[in-house]
Each structure stands twice: as C-alpha cells, then as structure tokens.
Amino acid sequence: MEMSQRGRKILVPAAFLPLIVSACTPEPITSQGEQVSDLYTIFSVIAAVIFVVVAGLIGWSLIRYRAKPGDDELPPQFHTNLKLEITWFAIPQVIVIGLFIATAFVLVDVNEEADDPAVTVDVEAFQWGWRFGYSGTDVTIIGIPQDPAEIVLPVNEPITFVLNSDDVVHAFYIPKFLNKRDVIPGKENRFSVTIQEEGTYQGFCAEFCGLLHDRMPFTVQAVSSASFESWLEGQGDDDGDS
Ligand SMILES: [Cu+2]
C-alpha cells in the first residue's frame, strides 16, 4: 500500500511535466510560431510519458525485487531476451523517426517564404542598433541605444524580413515569434511571418556583438492593416524620420 502511494507522489507531478516545460515557451503570436509551439508540446508530452514509464518501471523493480530478510543468495541470473530487446530497440526508433518527420514538416512550413508579402522589411543590423526599411517606400526607422526603434506591422498579413549586417554577426530575435535568425555580414537571411495578434512585442539582438550588444532592443507594434497603412503614410509625410 505504502509503495503505491509513494509511487503516486512521484508519478502525478511527473504527469504535469509537459505543462511545466511548455510554460517556459513564450505564447506564440505568429502562425509560424504556433506550429513551433505545437511541435514543442508533442516533444514534451512524449518525453513526459517516457519519463513516467521509465521511472515507474525502475521504481517498481527496485521495490518488487528488493532483498528481503533472509535473502542471502543472488536471484537467478539470465541474459538474452530477444523479443524484449527487439521491442526496446524498435520503440525508440519509431518515436525518433516520428519526431524527425514531424520536425521536418514544421521546419519546411516555417521556413517557407511568403510568395507575395504585404510588407517587406529590410533589416540592417549594426553596432549597436537596427535600421528598418519598408521596402517600396522611403520609410526607414533607425534605432540606437539612446533611442531604440519602434516599428509598426500589420496583423494577418504575410511579412517578409530581409536581414543584413553592416559589420559583425548579430541575431534578430523576437521571442514571441519563436524564431531567431542570425544577421550575418555578406549573407542575406530571409524569413516570413504572419502576426496573428495585435500587441506590442519586444525584440533583441541575440548574438553577442560587442560592448553595447544588450542595448539593441526594439519594439514591434502589430496593428490592423488599416492602422498600419495610415501609420506608413504618416511616416512618409515626416520624410521617414522616426
Ligand atoms: Cu548585435
């Protein structure tokens, strides 16, 4: 009786592992981020089930086969159980192949560039700030440590970011996108997202790039298409100064 209660004390919290793990992931606000988040959840649930089964079996065999008073000899020893060995080889293979396929599908989807993005933002990173150019307009928003950039983007429309660096390697990171891309001098990186929720989201440089690396935050404000259009027009009137 005491054994099963103790077992339950360990196994019940273990069942909450996926919740604990997924709590570490920011709530995604893009359709691509949602796919990544779902993938995390699948991994977490499978990992939690494996943990519970393995820990449970170890616990059970420790208790069930423990030495009892008067047990002076080793229990019968045996080796080779082909069926069992094939089973415990096959199960992890199936799980890993399944996770690999699921990951490949998500990666292909997430990396797919929008055919006809509503907005293309040319992002240039430099020591230490960002230059955001709205392609097809002369609107440019520049952020420096004393005055971080605030950019505005529409929701429910595909947006493509084109990343370039003036100097060293930086990384473009908006945690709520669940997406982080290196910004490499001489190599253009591109990705597309569709933001699904209006709001203000913080962005960072996520690659140590020198003294003021930590002073490169920027803000993304996601608004309705109509608000975005009028904001963009307003920026044009100001000669694109932020
Ligand atoms: Cu940087």
Side-chain angles (χ1 to χ4, degrees):
M1 266 304 133
E2 196 209 352
M3 173 187 81
S4 73
Q5 260 174 7
R6 201 179 295 164
R8 236 175 277 157
K9 267 184 198 152
I10 300 167
L11 293 186
V12 170
F16 287 103
L17 265 184
L19 280 179
I20 297 165
V21 173
S22 56
C24 301
T25 316
E27 193 71 27
I29 50 115
T30 62
S31 53
Q32 289 79 0
E34 218 158 72
Q35 282 180 276
V36 173
S37 175
D38 290 346
L39 189 64
Y40 285 170
T41 305
I42 295 172
F43 270 73
S44 306
V45 168
I46 292 178
V49 169
I50 292 171
F51 175 80
V52 169
V53 169
V54 170
L57 286 174
I58 291 173
W60 175 76
S61 61
L62 277 176
I63 293 160
R64 172 76 178 75
Y65 296 105
R66 71 191 185 281
K68 291 172 196 82
D71 282 352
D72 295 327
E73 276 170 39
L74 281 176
Q77 304 290 303
F78 65 90
H79 60 82
T80 313
N81 183 329
L82 198 58
K83 261 188 211 158
L84 200 58
E85 284 165 20
I86 287 175
T87 308
W88 76 46
F89 174 77
I91 293 173
Q93 297 303 310
V94 170
I95 294 172
V96 169
I97 291 168
L99 289 176
F100 177 86
I101 293 171
T103 305
F105 272 107
V106 169
L107 276 182
V108 167
D109 262 13
V110 165
N111 286 330
E112 197 182 12
E113 224 185 292
D115 288 334
D116 187 21
V119 184
T120 300
V121 187
D122 294 309
V123 182
E124 263 180 78
F126 57 89
Q127 288 171 313
W128 287 275
W130 306 91
R131 212 173 288 118
F132 298 92
Y134 285 76
S135 188
T137 74
D138 48 15
V139 176
T140 302
I141 309 273
I142 297 171
I144 52 173
Q146 301 84 328
D147 186 17
E150 286 174 26
I151 61 167
V152 177
L153 292 169
V155 292
N156 300 325
E157 308 233 42
I159 300 160
T160 294
F161 291 95
V162 183
L163 309 175
N164 282 289
S165 170
D166 283 1
D167 36 47
V168 298
V169 179
H170 302 266
F172 184 84
Y173 181 39
I174 298 167
K176 292 252 175 186
F177 283 13
L178 298 191
N179 182 333
K180 187 193 286 172
R181 278 300 150 90
D182 275 358
V183 188
I184 302 166
K187 190 201 180 296
E188 189 175 273
N189 270 339
R190 309 167 67 95
F191 71 96
S192 298
V193 293
T194 303
I195 303 174
Q196 292 174 310
E197 262 175 64
E198 291 188 24
T200 305
Y201 309 113
Q202 197 65 53
F204 304 94
C205 176
E207 182 76 54
F208 181 68
C209 59
L211 196 59
L212 301 187
H213 156 71
D214 66 317
R215 312 262 317 262
M216 290 177 67
F218 58 94
T219 307
V220 174
Q221 221 190 310
V223 298
S224 68
S225 298
S227 309
F228 170 73
E229 289 305 332
S230 59
W231 171 84
L232 198 64
E233 268 168 40
Q235 291 295 311
D237 294 345
D238 303 346
D239 279 332
D241 245 356
S242 69

